[in-house]
Amino acid sequence: MATRAALEQVLADYLKPEATDEDRQRLYIALQNEADAEVMRQLIEADSSIPKGEVRLDDESTEAIRAALMLATTEAPVRKMFFAKATRWIAAAVVLFAVATTFFLLNKKDIEPQKPIAQLTQKERFKNDIQPGKTGAILRLSNGREILLDTAKDGQLFDGFTKGNEGIRVSENAVQYATVITPKARIQTVQLSDGTTVWLNAGSSVKFPTVFNGNTREVEITGEVYFEVAKNKDKPFIVNTGQDKITVLGTHFNVNTYAKQVTTLLEGSVKINNDILKPGQQYSEGKFFQPDIESVMAWKDGRFLYDGAGIKQIMQDIERWYDVDIEFKEIVNYSFVAKVNRNLPVSELLKILEATGDVHFTIEGKKISVFK
């Protein structure tokens, strides 16, 4: 507990027109002690040791006054009476006092002058951590039934659907169609009844018949999906994306429809509309490209792999894999080269990006903010 004389000086320094941040900080510290706060209230009410003249009110103080006045009209009657009798400068002091007391004695919040984001430690900026995604999905049947695969036990789910280490295996079933949906922070593998294997990245889906009748094998997808198609020259395998129709006989390829549709062929051949794609090629909006196959398939292999990727693309991947909200506080146009395991907590991934010195992050709850 400080002496009365010391508290008189703290209050006097705080109310000077030329008060500094240090003067304000000393008042805030004094108000954290209930005994000192009571002495400070007595000093204001006694109208002593407070300099006459203008009270310095910057924008922050003005906003504080507005907040305190709202409190004064809804809280204790004693406070209302005090405001009615106070002089102009005493009223301002009491308002600031009320705000500071509310912050420190009721809410226990730290209101030290905010440091620039780059000066905060990672521990200060990363208020919590978020774990990576995992295997899991929703199985939706054409009869309306839904099964959460995250919690379903291995073994036969029901006739025609079996869950195991390799994912979900489908055989002929009474239902006509089924859809496997991976929300954010989930991936899933599905083996269709013809032997085709499908890998779903986070935020994706595949709709398929439980048995392929007729002359074709057709599925519908959203998000990002990788196929290893079982060969059957008599029944072409067709992938419908809502934009393109991809026809194959037996091949390995990746389709990404998150932003715009991009198809990457690893093995075999595919026809997209009327264009033929060769192994090692990528196709998007009628144009052919030579991609880095390792980067395209990194998600399936459990990695983030970037070779000159922009921060927006990286944060979109983080948003899907960690199920977080991303907010850009500043415009960041940097590109990054990184190779990171996808099983890391998000803080470890962000620390790697921060090591470039070009970007900073904060984690609060489920929100990640991006700064220069």
Side-chain angles (χ1 to χ4, degrees), residues 17-35:
E18 65 275 14
T20 65
D21 287 340
E22 291 183 0
D23 294 329
R24 284 189 280 273
Q25 185 66 16
R26 280 194 292 272
L27 175 65
Y28 296 152
I29 291 172
L31 292 172
Q32 293 183 71
N33 183 289
E34 292 188 26

Side-chain angles (χ1 to χ4, degrees), residues 309-321:
I311 188 64
K312 288 187 177 179
Q313 176 192 336
I314 294 173
M315 298 314 294
Q316 287 170 353
D317 290 343
I318 289 174
E319 180 181 33
R320 281 188 291 267
W321 185 232

Side-chain angles (χ1 to χ4, degrees), residues 27-87:
L27 175 65
Y28 296 152
I29 291 172
L31 292 172
Q32 293 183 71
N33 183 289
E34 292 188 26
D36 288 349
E38 179 57 31
V39 173
M40 196 74 73
R41 182 183 294 278
Q42 293 171 8
L43 288 173
I44 294 172
E45 292 178 346
D47 191 8
S48 63
S49 302
I50 304 176
K52 304 297 181 183
E54 284 295 315
V55 176
R56 181 184 178 190
L57 295 176
D58 53 19
D59 291 341
E60 185 176 350
S61 300
T62 301
E63 289 302 313
I65 289 174
R66 289 174 182 165
L69 286 173
M70 292 178 65
L71 284 173
T73 59
T74 57
E75 302 231 353
V78 174
R79 184 175 294 173
K80 294 182 184 178
M81 291 176 60
F82 182 77
F83 275 102
K85 294 179 180 180
T87 62

Side-chain angles (χ1 to χ4, degrees), residues 109-144:
K109 291 184 180 178
D110 180 7
I111 58 173
E112 292 183 358
Q114 188 174 2
K115 298 178 185 177
I117 192 71
Q119 294 181 17
L120 296 175
T121 66
Q122 287 180 331
K123 184 176 181 180
E124 290 173 318
R125 289 184 285 103
F126 298 170
K127 296 182 179 180
N128 58 278
D129 209 348
I130 300 168
Q131 296 304 309
K134 59 184 181 181
T135 299
I138 298 168
L139 175 60
R140 180 180 296 160
L141 306 179
S142 55
N143 62 10

